[in-house]
Amino acid sequence: MADVATDPSSSTGEQSYVKCGRCQTAYVVSDEDLGNGKGRRLECSVCEHSWFQSKDRLMTLRDGFEMVSLPDLDKERISLNIKEGKNPRFMGDTKLYVGNIAFECTEDDLVRVFSEAGVVGDISLVRDEQGRNRGFGFITMRTKEGGEKAMETLDGSEFMGRNIAVRESNSN
């Protein structure tokens, strides 16, 4: 059984890819990766799901798109979800709006701070057309308790020179 490649830069030219049917992680593959026959059994390196992948069912990356590596936060979340018997795509129970974020702040900075309140399931900083942070974003905490603790301890607190606003999102 072949473990599918996790390095998106391992392919040149037109990129073909497959997706794990369990956790939806995408992998760059080539015809050579699938052997000389009609295909081969692959195993996801994130959730250990295995499947038979035929050569005629490969997907092709469209022009203007690129494959990027799965962030460690996502790998950890998927593994924890499987361990807890949850859907691999489960993000969390409490989605929070975070406002007045410093423009130089990154996703990693926010994960570091919010992890003190509980396990962070997902993070999304809203960015403009040039990729700059717009000063607000959304963080999904895995548990309601983690979300409540984040609101209690971080709302109005100073972070990177600004007092951040933390409240439950309207888009749960």
Side-chain angles (χ1 to χ4, degrees):
M1 181 171 345
D3 184 32
V4 288
T6 58
D7 181 12
S9 62
S10 63
S11 179
T12 58
E14 187 175 90
Q15 289 186 326
S16 295
Y17 68 99
V18 298
K19 280 179 121 179
C20 172
R22 185 174 187 195
C23 70
Q24 300 301 305
T25 301
Y27 297 95
V28 174
V29 295
S30 66
D31 283 344
E32 296 80 40
D33 293 332
L34 298 178
N36 295 330
K38 293 184 178 187
R40 86 173 338 153
R41 182 156 289 283
L42 301 178
E43 182 175 296
C44 178
S45 62
V46 175
C47 73
E48 299 180 355
H49 173 70
S50 68
W51 70 96
F52 182 83
Q53 182 65 51
S54 62
K55 290 182 178 181
D56 62 339
R57 300 283 301 196
L58 294 177
M59 295 177 269
T60 303
L61 200 59
R62 294 187 301 195
D63 289 339
F65 289 87
E66 66 178 313
M67 295 288 283
V68 296
S69 296
L70 187 65
D72 289 339
L73 179 66
D74 290 342
K75 290 178 190 175
E76 292 165 10
R77 176 185 47 79
I78 291 167
S79 295
L80 184 58
N81 286 343
I82 292 167
K83 182 180 174 184
E84 294 177 350
K86 295 180 178 172
N87 184 315
R89 293 175 284 211
F90 174 76
M91 297 291 180
D93 289 325
T94 306
K95 187 171 186 177
L96 304 173
Y97 163 84
V98 183
N100 203 31
I101 298 171
F103 295 113
E104 51 283 340
C105 181
T106 66
E107 285 87 351
D108 289 339
D109 294 329
L110 287 171
V111 168
R112 189 180 69 253
V113 170
F114 278 78
S115 291
E116 295 173 13
V119 178
V120 175
D122 188 43
I123 184 164
S124 175
L125 269 177
V126 177
R127 299 186 179 279
D128 65 16
E129 296 81 27
Q130 287 76 38
R132 294 179 301 224
N133 164 5
R134 290 188 52 202
F136 69 98
F138 300 91
I139 294 181
T140 304
M141 302 298 287
R142 284 189 61 85
T143 64
K144 288 185 186 254
E145 296 80 19
E148 290 168 1
K149 184 175 179 185
M151 286 187 283
E152 290 169 14
T153 60
L154 296 173
D155 185 39
S157 67
E158 189 274 329
F159 177 61
M160 296 182 76
R162 299 181 85 169
N163 292 337
I164 59 173
V166 181
R167 64 178 181 260
E168 198 158 0
S169 171
N170 293 336
S171 63
N172 275 343

